[in-house]
Amino acid sequence: MFPMDFQSVFSLAKEFLVLIVVFGVLLGYAVIRGNRALITLTLGLYLALLISLKFPYYDAVYRIAGAGEHGAPIVAVLAFAAFAVLATLFFGRLLPRDYAEAYESVPKKFILAALTTALVMALAYNALPATALIDPGASIGALFGPPEYFFWLLLAPLVGLFFI
């Protein structure tokens, strides 16, 4: 119906590859571990953001890791990942486990994965030096990169969690 050559399809997929990979990983995580695990991860990312913004020992961590100017983004992303893992474990202990994972719906997994993808991409562009490590593309940058969108991209997953 809509003839597109292979090159244009490949170029479009390449432009959105990072977004597709992040969504796929998060959806796979939700399928394997369940909705509760993805919700704890989402909440853990928020807590990790708060901790990493005011973490006073980045300079010491950079010196210990021997990270120069080029290694600093890697160390910052790894430190954020460590904060996120610890915060996710924290929320995993707090959230109730009284509902059956087997009865969770697939559409809910898609929605949770999409909300968490938006949060991860917003953090990558506005709070972490992740874009110094990878270049997600101009289209993704136009959606997640502007600082004036950061508040709304942080708020959207919380509102989504409220209604799910």
Side-chain angles (χ1 to χ4, degrees), residues 15-45:
E15 182 75 22
F16 291 98
L17 183 64
V18 172
L19 189 65
I20 293 168
V21 167
V22 170
F23 178 77
V25 167
L26 291 171
L27 183 61
Y29 184 70
V31 167
I32 292 169
R33 301 278 322 268
N35 290 353
R36 181 183 174 278
L38 191 56
I39 290 169
T40 60
L41 175 66
T42 304
L43 295 174
L45 289 172

Side-chain angles (χ1 to χ4, degrees), residues 48-119:
L49 173 64
L50 292 174
I51 293 169
S52 69
L53 286 178
K54 294 300 179 183
F55 185 63
Y57 303 109
Y58 276 121
D59 292 334
V61 172
Y62 293 153
R63 278 194 309 275
I64 291 170
E69 189 175 305
H70 301 296
I74 294 171
V75 172
V77 169
L78 289 175
F80 179 83
F83 295 144
V85 166
L86 292 173
T88 300
L89 292 172
F90 172 73
F91 280 114
R93 292 180 53 94
L94 289 179
L95 293 179
R97 295 184 179 109
D98 61 349
Y99 60 91
E101 294 278 336
Y103 299 108
E104 295 177 342
S105 67
V106 174
K108 188 184 272 190
K109 288 182 187 345
F110 273 96
I111 293 168
L112 287 171
L115 292 171
T116 309
T117 299
L119 178 62

Side-chain angles (χ1 to χ4, degrees), residues 119-141:
L119 178 62
V120 167
M121 296 304 293
L123 291 174
Y125 270 96
N126 294 292
L128 297 172
T131 53
L133 302 174
I134 57 170
D135 181 26
S139 298
I140 303 297

